[in-house]
Amino acid sequence: MSAAQELRTPTEGRFVQNIVHFTRALRKAGVQVGTAQLQTAISAVRATGFSNRFDYYFTLRATLITRPEHMDVFHQVFFMFWRDPEYLERMIHLLSPLLRREDQTEKKEKAANRRALDALTDNTAPSGELSSKDELQADAHLSWSQNEILRHMDFEQMSAAEATAAARAIQQLSLPIDPLLTRRLTPSIFGRRPDARATLARAIRRGGEIDRLLRKAPRKRPPNLVALCDISGSMSVYSRMMLHLLHGLHWSPNPTWGQVSAFTFGTRLTNISKSLRKKDVDDALASVGQLAPDWQGGTRIGDALFRFNRDWGRRVLGRSVTPFRCLQPKSPVCREAVAVLSGSTHCCAGRSSRPKPQESKRFYRMSMNSCRVTRSIVLVI
Amino acid sequence: MASFPQSIDNVLRIFAGQNYICGRDLGTVAFLALNLQKPLFLEGEAGVGKTEIAKALAAGLGRRLIRLQCYEGLDAAAAIYEWNFSAQMIAIRTAEASGNTDRGALQSELFSQDYLIRRPLLQAMEPHDAGPPVLLIDEVDRTDEPFEAFLLEALSEFQVTIPEIGTIKAQEPPIVILTSNRTREVHDALKRRCLYHWVDYPTFTREVEILQARVPGCTAALSNDIVAFVQELRGEDLFKNPGIAETIDWARCLIALDAVALSPEVISDTLGAVLKYQDDIAKIAGSEATRILNEARANLAKAS
C-alpha cells in the first residue's frame, strides 16, 4: 500500500516509530487507542508539521484521545514520553513529601497530577517508557490523604455449590418489567400507521395494483437498568450475590433489560459497568474487586449518591424519567437513597415526583407523573 | 477542489474574523478537520460555544451551513432522505389507468431523483457552488444508538446508500461538525471516525476577550467584574455551571438595566440569567453571592 511506503521514507527520520511507541505507552496507561487512530495521528502530524510544540501536542490529543477523562493521562504520558526536563524536575519535587508540604501554591495542579498518576499506576503493566513506575507508586501512596480503609477485595473462585446457588437465585429472581414503546416503528399487522414504503414496494411487485395497506407500529424495547450496589462492610456477602445477579441480568439469554449499568458505593462511588461485561463471572467479579477500592469499608451513602447524581445521573439515566425500586425498602440505606435520588431526578427529568406504593411488598417504587417514556430504572441494592 | 486555510494561524484568523475567540488547541483541531477531511466531534458542557464554532467556520469560509438537529427517534427519513409517497401514488395510478404496466419502467420512474425528498445529510453530499458545505449534526447525544449507526457510513465514507437507487457519494466531502452535551456516552465506533475535542470553559483573560467581542457595549470594568464572578461561580459545587452563553446573556441583561458595576442587589435581581436551576439559585442568592463577589474582586485585585 502506498500509505505504508510513505510512512517509511527516510527523510522523516524516526517520527513514525516514535509515535507508535508513544501510542503503546498510552495503551499501557489504560487509554484505548486503535490502529486507525494511530494512522490518522501520523497523517495529522504530517499536515501540521513540527514547527510548534503546542500544535504537536494538540494534534496528537485530537487524534488519539476520545474521552475527556483521558486528557489528564495523555498530558502526563506526553510530557513523560517526550522527555520534558522541567517535568522531570517537578516529578522529583512531587516525590519529596517535605518539599511538597511547604509548597501550597501548586495545590490545584497537584490534584490533577494525582488523578493522572493513579490512572498511570492502576492496572498498568511495567513499561519501558515509564521507567519511573516505582517512584510513581510511592507518590500515589504518599499523597493519599483520606482516612478511609481502602481494601481491595480478593474474590476467590466460587465453589461449585455457591455457583449453583447463585445461578438458582438468579433464575428465580427475575425482575419483571414491561417493555417500553420507542419512537421507532416496525412492520406490524396490528399497527396504526401506514407503511408507505412497504405498500409501494408491494404495489410495484403487482404491476401497480394497491391491494392492501401495510402498517407499522412502535417498536418495543426493554428499559435500561441502573443498579446502585451497597458494598459497605455489613453488606459484603449480600452485595457479592447481588453482583452475581447483575452479571446474570446482563448476560441473560432472554434479556428483559436493556443496558445494565452498575455502581458500587461504600465510602466512594465506582462505576463497575465495564467489569460486568466480561463473559466469565469469575473474571467479572475479580475485576470489580480490583476496581472498587472500598470493599468492606464504612459507608458514606449520602456523599456517594450525591456524586452519582452530579457526575453520572445525566449520563446513565438519560433525560427522561426514572422510577426507583429498592430491595428492602425499609432499610435506612434505601430511605436515604430514595430521598437523595428523588431530589436529583427531579433535576434530571425536570418533572415533579411523588412516592407511590407499589403492588409488590418487596419493591418500593417511585413513579413520576406522566411518565410515558421511561428510559431506565434505578435499583438500589 | 475548494481551498482550505493552509496553516493553523489562518484558521485562527478566520475564527477571529467572525468574532469567535478561541485557543490554539481548537484552532489545531479545526485545521486538521479541514485538511484531513475528517469529521470534528466537539464535546462539552452546555453553553461553551460548540454550535457557534460551526457557524463561525461556515461564515468565515463562505460555505453553506446545513444543520441537523438531533432528537430522540430521529430516523433515516428525517435525516437522510424520504420518498415522496403521495407523488409516487399518483404516478402509479396514472400508469395503471393508462395500461402501462411494464414493471421495470415503472420502477425506474418511481424511484428516480424526482421523487426523492432530500434531507440534511443527503443535501450535504451534493455538490454546492461555493464549495462543500458545513454540516452541523447538533447534540448527537439526544438521539439513540440506532441513529449513530446510520451516521457511521455517512461520516467515514461520505456516502449514503439508498436501497432503490444505490450509493450516492459526495464528490467533495462536506465539513462535518458533531456536537454533544454528554448526556449519554456516544459510541466509540463513531468517536473513532472523528477528531475529538473537549470544549472547556475558557480562562479569565479569554473570557473577557470573548465578552468584549460579543457585547461591545460592555465596559472593561463591568466585563472584568462579570467574568471574575462567573469564574468564581464555576468553582462552587453547582448542579449546572454557567457557560459562556450565560455570561454573555448576563452582560446583556446588566447593560439593559444600566448597571455599571456588580453589587449584591443587582446580582440577586439578575441571577436567573446565569443559573438555570432553582436549587442553584437558592444556594447562591443572598449572602453567598456577596461572599463570591468579594472573593472575585479580591482575586481581580491580586491579579492586576
Side-chain angles (χ1 to χ4, degrees), chain B residues 248-283:
Chain B
I248 293 170
D249 278 352
W250 196 31
R252 287 194 180 128
C253 287
L254 293 173
I255 289 171
L257 294 173
D258 286 334
V260 274
L262 285 184
S263 67
E265 297 77 39
V266 174
I267 291 174
S268 64
D269 288 346
T270 54
L271 206 54
V274 194
L275 300 174
K276 303 294 164 76
Y277 281 93
Q278 175 54 29
D279 298 347
D280 287 348
I281 294 177
K283 188 175 170 188

mmCIF file of all heavy atoms in Angstrom, chain B residues 248-283:
data_model
loop_
_atom_site.group_PDB
_atom_site.id
_atom_site.type_symbol
_atom_site.label_atom_id
_atom_site.label_comp_id
_atom_site.label_asym_id
_atom_site.label_seq_id
_atom_site.Cartn_x
_atom_site.Cartn_y
_atom_site.Cartn_z
ATOM 1 N N ILE B 248 -22.551 35.872 28.512
ATOM 2 C CA ILE B 248 -22.916 36.889 27.517
ATOM 3 C C ILE B 248 -24.334 37.387 27.766
ATOM 4 O O ILE B 248 -24.593 38.597 27.752
ATOM 5 C CB ILE B 248 -22.749 36.305 26.101
ATOM 6 C CG1 ILE B 248 -21.260 36.043 25.827
ATOM 7 C CG2 ILE B 248 -23.326 37.238 25.061
ATOM 8 C CD1 ILE B 248 -20.985 35.264 24.577
ATOM 9 N N ASP B 249 -25.245 36.446 28.031
ATOM 10 C CA ASP B 249 -26.631 36.834 28.322
ATOM 11 C C ASP B 249 -26.693 37.776 29.518
ATOM 12 O O ASP B 249 -27.416 38.775 29.509
ATOM 13 C CB ASP B 249 -27.466 35.588 28.671
ATOM 14 C CG ASP B 249 -27.927 34.873 27.434
ATOM 15 O OD1 ASP B 249 -27.732 35.438 26.339
ATOM 16 O OD2 ASP B 249 -28.455 33.747 27.559
ATOM 17 N N TRP B 250 -25.928 37.427 30.528
ATOM 18 C CA TRP B 250 -25.959 38.211 31.769
ATOM 19 C C TRP B 250 -25.439 39.618 31.504
ATOM 20 O O TRP B 250 -26.038 40.598 31.965
ATOM 21 C CB TRP B 250 -25.105 37.495 32.833
ATOM 22 C CG TRP B 250 -25.366 37.970 34.221
ATOM 23 C CD1 TRP B 250 -26.537 38.449 34.717
ATOM 24 C CD2 TRP B 250 -24.423 38.006 35.292
ATOM 25 N NE1 TRP B 250 -26.390 38.768 36.043
ATOM 26 C CE2 TRP B 250 -25.117 38.503 36.420
ATOM 27 C CE3 TRP B 250 -23.094 37.649 35.430
ATOM 28 C CZ2 TRP B 250 -24.488 38.671 37.655
ATOM 29 C CZ3 TRP B 250 -22.480 37.805 36.660
ATOM 30 C CH2 TRP B 250 -23.170 38.313 37.762
ATOM 31 N N ALA B 251 -24.342 39.690 30.737
ATOM 32 C CA ALA B 251 -23.793 41.005 30.413
ATOM 33 C C ALA B 251 -24.839 41.851 29.696
ATOM 34 O O ALA B 251 -25.016 43.038 29.987
ATOM 35 C CB ALA B 251 -22.550 40.845 29.554
ATOM 36 N N ARG B 252 -25.573 41.223 28.770
ATOM 37 C CA ARG B 252 -26.612 41.970 28.043
ATOM 38 C C ARG B 252 -27.713 42.423 28.994
ATOM 39 O O ARG B 252 -28.210 43.546 28.882
ATOM 40 C CB ARG B 252 -27.190 41.094 26.929
ATOM 41 C CG ARG B 252 -26.207 40.941 25.789
ATOM 42 C CD ARG B 252 -26.846 40.386 24.537
ATOM 43 N NE ARG B 252 -25.837 40.282 23.495
ATOM 44 C CZ ARG B 252 -25.590 39.190 22.793
ATOM 45 N NH1 ARG B 252 -26.309 38.108 22.987
ATOM 46 N NH2 ARG B 252 -24.641 39.184 21.879
ATOM 47 N N CYS B 253 -28.095 41.542 29.917
ATOM 48 C CA CYS B 253 -29.114 41.919 30.912
ATOM 49 C C CYS B 253 -28.648 43.132 31.710
ATOM 50 O O CYS B 253 -29.406 44.093 31.904
ATOM 51 C CB CYS B 253 -29.345 40.787 31.899
ATOM 52 S SG CYS B 253 -30.235 39.414 31.252
ATOM 53 N N LEU B 254 -27.396 43.091 32.170
ATOM 54 C CA LEU B 254 -26.890 44.159 33.038
ATOM 55 C C LEU B 254 -26.828 45.477 32.274
ATOM 56 O O LEU B 254 -27.132 46.542 32.831
ATOM 57 C CB LEU B 254 -25.515 43.784 33.586
ATOM 58 C CG LEU B 254 -25.513 42.604 34.561
ATOM 59 C CD1 LEU B 254 -24.106 42.203 34.925
ATOM 60 C CD2 LEU B 254 -26.310 42.932 35.814
ATOM 61 N N ILE B 255 -26.462 45.394 30.991
ATOM 62 C CA ILE B 255 -26.411 46.626 30.202
ATOM 63 C C ILE B 255 -27.816 47.181 30.019
ATOM 64 O O ILE B 255 -28.048 48.388 30.108
ATOM 65 C CB ILE B 255 -25.723 46.360 28.851
ATOM 66 C CG1 ILE B 255 -24.234 46.119 29.102
ATOM 67 C CG2 ILE B 255 -25.909 47.524 27.895
ATOM 68 C CD1 ILE B 255 -23.497 45.644 27.906
ATOM 69 N N ALA B 256 -28.780 46.265 29.793
ATOM 70 C CA ALA B 256 -30.163 46.714 29.639
ATOM 71 C C ALA B 256 -30.668 47.382 30.912
ATOM 72 O O ALA B 256 -31.520 48.270 30.860
ATOM 73 C CB ALA B 256 -31.055 45.533 29.282
ATOM 74 N N LEU B 257 -30.135 46.974 32.065
ATOM 75 C CA LEU B 257 -30.549 47.572 33.339
ATOM 76 C C LEU B 257 -29.674 48.767 33.724
ATOM 77 O O LEU B 257 -29.774 49.272 34.845
ATOM 78 C CB LEU B 257 -30.482 46.519 34.451
ATOM 79 C CG LEU B 257 -31.459 45.354 34.348
ATOM 80 C CD1 LEU B 257 -31.161 44.315 35.402
ATOM 81 C CD2 LEU B 257 -32.893 45.827 34.452
ATOM 82 N N ASP B 258 -28.778 49.161 32.819
ATOM 83 C CA ASP B 258 -27.878 50.304 33.054
ATOM 84 C C ASP B 258 -26.977 50.113 34.265
ATOM 85 O O ASP B 258 -26.653 51.079 34.965
ATOM 86 C CB ASP B 258 -28.677 51.606 33.234
ATOM 87 C CG ASP B 258 -29.221 52.074 31.906
ATOM 88 O OD1 ASP B 258 -28.597 51.719 30.883
ATOM 89 O OD2 ASP B 258 -30.251 52.767 31.890
ATOM 90 N N ALA B 259 -26.577 48.897 34.547
ATOM 91 C CA ALA B 259 -25.670 48.675 35.683
ATOM 92 C C ALA B 259 -24.245 48.982 35.234
ATOM 93 O O ALA B 259 -23.849 48.622 34.126
ATOM 94 C CB ALA B 259 -25.777 47.233 36.157
ATOM 95 N N VAL B 260 -23.489 49.688 36.070
ATOM 96 C CA VAL B 260 -22.098 49.984 35.726
ATOM 97 C C VAL B 260 -21.124 49.044 36.439
ATOM 98 O O VAL B 260 -20.011 48.829 35.981
ATOM 99 C CB VAL B 260 -21.716 51.444 36.050
ATOM 100 C CG1 VAL B 260 -22.092 52.351 34.902
ATOM 101 C CG2 VAL B 260 -22.358 51.880 37.343
ATOM 102 N N ALA B 261 -21.576 48.508 37.568
ATOM 103 C CA ALA B 261 -20.739 47.545 38.291
ATOM 104 C C ALA B 261 -21.654 46.566 39.010
ATOM 105 O O ALA B 261 -22.853 46.826 39.182
ATOM 106 C CB ALA B 261 -19.838 48.260 39.295
ATOM 107 N N LEU B 262 -21.076 45.447 39.401
ATOM 108 C CA LEU B 262 -21.880 44.446 40.107
ATOM 109 C C LEU B 262 -22.069 44.845 41.558
ATOM 110 O O LEU B 262 -21.159 45.385 42.185
ATOM 111 C CB LEU B 262 -21.180 43.092 40.071
ATOM 112 C CG LEU B 262 -21.202 42.320 38.769
ATOM 113 C CD1 LEU B 262 -20.544 40.974 38.972
ATOM 114 C CD2 LEU B 262 -22.607 42.146 38.256
ATOM 115 N N SER B 263 -23.267 44.617 42.070
ATOM 116 C CA SER B 263 -23.493 44.786 43.500
ATOM 117 C C SER B 263 -24.395 43.636 43.928
ATOM 118 O O SER B 263 -25.051 43.029 43.083
ATOM 119 C CB SER B 263 -24.183 46.128 43.776
ATOM 120 O OG SER B 263 -25.479 46.095 43.239
ATOM 121 N N PRO B 264 -24.414 43.285 45.204
ATOM 122 C CA PRO B 264 -25.237 42.147 45.642
ATOM 123 C C PRO B 264 -26.690 42.264 45.210
ATOM 124 O O PRO B 264 -27.313 41.264 44.844
ATOM 125 C CB PRO B 264 -25.101 42.202 47.166
ATOM 126 C CG PRO B 264 -23.781 42.839 47.409
ATOM 127 C CD PRO B 264 -23.587 43.819 46.298
ATOM 128 N N GLU B 265 -27.252 43.510 45.208
ATOM 129 C CA GLU B 265 -28.661 43.666 44.825
ATOM 130 C C GLU B 265 -28.855 43.331 43.355
ATOM 131 O O GLU B 265 -29.771 42.599 42.974
ATOM 132 C CB GLU B 265 -29.151 45.102 45.088
ATOM 133 C CG GLU B 265 -29.133 45.541 46.542
ATOM 134 C CD GLU B 265 -27.742 45.889 47.032
ATOM 135 O OE1 GLU B 265 -26.997 46.500 46.243
ATOM 136 O OE2 GLU B 265 -27.384 45.514 48.169
ATOM 137 N N VAL B 266 -27.952 43.902 42.521
ATOM 138 C CA VAL B 266 -28.065 43.656 41.081
ATOM 139 C C VAL B 266 -27.937 42.162 40.804
ATOM 140 O O VAL B 266 -28.684 41.599 39.999
ATOM 141 C CB VAL B 266 -26.968 44.447 40.324
ATOM 142 C CG1 VAL B 266 -26.985 44.093 38.855
ATOM 143 C CG2 VAL B 266 -27.172 45.925 40.500
ATOM 144 N N ILE B 267 -27.005 41.524 41.502
ATOM 145 C CA ILE B 267 -26.796 40.089 41.269
ATOM 146 C C ILE B 267 -28.051 39.300 41.611
ATOM 147 O O ILE B 267 -28.515 38.480 40.832
ATOM 148 C CB ILE B 267 -25.602 39.571 42.100
ATOM 149 C CG1 ILE B 267 -24.301 40.151 41.549
ATOM 150 C CG2 ILE B 267 -25.527 38.052 42.061
ATOM 151 C CD1 ILE B 267 -23.082 39.826 42.375
ATOM 152 N N SER B 268 -28.638 39.586 42.768
ATOM 153 C CA SER B 268 -29.801 38.782 43.158
ATOM 154 C C SER B 268 -30.984 39.045 42.228
ATOM 155 O O SER B 268 -31.809 38.159 42.017
ATOM 156 C CB SER B 268 -30.182 39.053 44.614
ATOM 157 O OG SER B 268 -30.590 40.388 44.742
ATOM 158 N N ASP B 269 -31.057 40.251 41.629
ATOM 159 C CA ASP B 269 -32.148 40.520 40.683
ATOM 160 C C ASP B 269 -31.967 39.745 39.386
ATOM 161 O O ASP B 269 -32.949 39.379 38.737
ATOM 162 C CB ASP B 269 -32.203 42.017 40.357
ATOM 163 C CG ASP B 269 -32.723 42.808 41.537
ATOM 164 O OD1 ASP B 269 -33.263 42.162 42.461
ATOM 165 O OD2 ASP B 269 -32.580 44.041 41.549
ATOM 166 N N THR B 270 -30.711 39.558 38.970
ATOM 167 C CA THR B 270 -30.480 39.018 37.630
ATOM 168 C C THR B 270 -29.869 37.623 37.644
ATOM 169 O O THR B 270 -29.411 37.149 36.613
ATOM 170 C CB THR B 270 -29.536 39.958 36.850
ATOM 171 O OG1 THR B 270 -28.360 40.136 37.642
ATOM 172 C CG2 THR B 270 -30.165 41.278 36.550
ATOM 173 N N LEU B 271 -29.888 36.966 38.795
ATOM 174 C CA LEU B 271 -29.206 35.672 38.897
ATOM 175 C C LEU B 271 -29.814 34.632 37.953
ATOM 176 O O LEU B 271 -29.137 33.700 37.516
ATOM 177 C CB LEU B 271 -29.283 35.174 40.347
ATOM 178 C CG LEU B 271 -28.183 34.232 40.812
ATOM 179 C CD1 LEU B 271 -26.821 34.826 40.563
ATOM 180 C CD2 LEU B 271 -28.361 33.906 42.276
ATOM 181 N N GLY B 272 -31.083 34.829 37.610
ATOM 182 C CA GLY B 272 -31.752 33.890 36.701
ATOM 183 C C GLY B 272 -31.135 33.826 35.326
ATOM 184 O O GLY B 272 -31.340 32.857 34.588
ATOM 185 N N ALA B 273 -30.365 34.860 34.959
ATOM 186 C CA ALA B 273 -29.703 34.832 33.656
ATOM 187 C C ALA B 273 -28.474 33.935 33.680
ATOM 188 O O ALA B 273 -28.001 33.500 32.632
ATOM 189 C CB ALA B 273 -29.316 36.245 33.228
ATOM 190 N N VAL B 274 -27.928 33.694 34.861
ATOM 191 C CA VAL B 274 -26.688 32.911 34.961
ATOM 192 C C VAL B 274 -26.969 31.468 35.382
ATOM 193 O O VAL B 274 -26.418 30.537 34.820
ATOM 194 C CB VAL B 274 -25.727 33.536 35.996
ATOM 195 C CG1 VAL B 274 -24.344 32.956 35.856
ATOM 196 C CG2 VAL B 274 -25.682 35.026 35.823
ATOM 197 N N LEU B 275 -27.823 31.314 36.393
ATOM 198 C CA LEU B 275 -28.099 29.979 36.912
ATOM 199 C C LEU B 275 -29.502 29.567 36.491
ATOM 200 O O LEU B 275 -30.435 30.354 36.604
ATOM 201 C CB LEU B 275 -27.975 29.969 38.440
ATOM 202 C CG LEU B 275 -26.597 30.372 38.965
ATOM 203 C CD1 LEU B 275 -26.625 30.479 40.477
ATOM 204 C CD2 LEU B 275 -25.548 29.376 38.516
ATOM 205 N N LYS B 276 -29.624 28.320 36.030
ATOM 206 C CA LYS B 276 -30.899 27.905 35.461
ATOM 207 C C LYS B 276 -31.592 26.818 36.285
ATOM 208 O O LYS B 276 -32.551 26.221 35.842
ATOM 209 C CB LYS B 276 -30.686 27.424 34.021
ATOM 210 C CG LYS B 276 -30.035 28.458 33.110
ATOM 211 C CD LYS B 276 -30.945 29.653 32.902
ATOM 212 C CE LYS B 276 -30.216 30.860 32.344
ATOM 213 N NZ LYS B 276 -29.900 30.792 30.952
ATOM 214 N N TYR B 277 -31.064 26.523 37.458
ATOM 215 C CA TYR B 277 -31.724 25.544 38.320
ATOM 216 C C TYR B 277 -32.107 26.214 39.629
ATOM 217 O O TYR B 277 -31.293 26.948 40.208
ATOM 218 C CB TYR B 277 -30.800 24.360 38.611
ATOM 219 C CG TYR B 277 -30.740 23.375 37.479
ATOM 220 C CD1 TYR B 277 -29.755 23.464 36.513
ATOM 221 C CD2 TYR B 277 -31.699 22.368 37.380
ATOM 222 C CE1 TYR B 277 -29.714 22.559 35.463
ATOM 223 C CE2 TYR B 277 -31.665 21.464 36.337
ATOM 224 C CZ TYR B 277 -30.669 21.559 35.386
ATOM 225 O OH TYR B 277 -30.629 20.672 34.356
ATOM 226 N N GLN B 278 -33.328 25.947 40.080
ATOM 227 C CA GLN B 278 -33.822 26.586 41.295
ATOM 228 C C GLN B 278 -32.903 26.275 42.478
ATOM 229 O O GLN B 278 -32.603 27.154 43.291
ATOM 230 C CB GLN B 278 -35.256 26.117 41.565
ATOM 231 C CG GLN B 278 -35.856 26.612 42.858
ATOM 232 C CD GLN B 278 -35.792 28.124 43.006
ATOM 233 O OE1 GLN B 278 -35.797 28.858 42.022
ATOM 234 N NE2 GLN B 278 -35.694 28.607 44.247
ATOM 235 N N ASP B 279 -32.417 25.008 42.557
ATOM 236 C CA ASP B 279 -31.551 24.620 43.675
ATOM 237 C C ASP B 279 -30.292 25.483 43.702
ATOM 238 O O ASP B 279 -29.843 25.926 44.759
ATOM 239 C CB ASP B 279 -31.129 23.153 43.550
ATOM 240 C CG ASP B 279 -32.336 22.232 43.604
ATOM 241 O OD1 ASP B 279 -33.411 22.725 43.980
ATOM 242 O OD2 ASP B 279 -32.195 21.044 43.264
ATOM 243 N N ASP B 280 -29.724 25.698 42.503
ATOM 244 C CA ASP B 280 -28.505 26.501 42.404
ATOM 245 C C ASP B 280 -28.769 27.946 42.808
ATOM 246 O O ASP B 280 -27.976 28.564 43.523
ATOM 247 C CB ASP B 280 -27.963 26.472 40.971
ATOM 248 C CG ASP B 280 -27.347 25.121 40.640
ATOM 249 O OD1 ASP B 280 -27.154 24.338 41.584
ATOM 250 O OD2 ASP B 280 -27.082 24.860 39.458
ATOM 251 N N ILE B 281 -29.902 28.473 42.336
ATOM 252 C CA ILE B 281 -30.222 29.875 42.648
ATOM 253 C C ILE B 281 -30.405 30.054 44.150
ATOM 254 O O ILE B 281 -29.863 30.971 44.761
ATOM 255 C CB ILE B 281 -31.486 30.330 41.884
ATOM 256 C CG1 ILE B 281 -31.190 30.345 40.384
ATOM 257 C CG2 ILE B 281 -31.940 31.709 42.349
ATOM 258 C CD1 ILE B 281 -32.355 30.700 39.513
ATOM 259 N N ALA B 282 -31.157 29.097 44.751
ATOM 260 C CA ALA B 282 -31.401 29.183 46.194
ATOM 261 C C ALA B 282 -30.092 29.122 46.976
ATOM 262 O O ALA B 282 -29.938 29.761 48.013
ATOM 263 C CB ALA B 282 -32.325 28.039 46.627
ATOM 264 N N LYS B 283 -29.142 28.350 46.452
ATOM 265 C CA LYS B 283 -27.872 28.187 47.148
ATOM 266 C C LYS B 283 -27.026 29.450 47.078
ATOM 267 O O LYS B 283 -26.333 29.818 48.030
ATOM 268 C CB LYS B 283 -27.127 27.011 46.505
ATOM 269 C CG LYS B 283 -25.871 26.586 47.226
ATOM 270 C CD LYS B 283 -25.318 25.352 46.542
ATOM 271 C CE LYS B 283 -23.939 25.036 47.070
ATOM 272 N NZ LYS B 283 -23.295 23.979 46.311
#
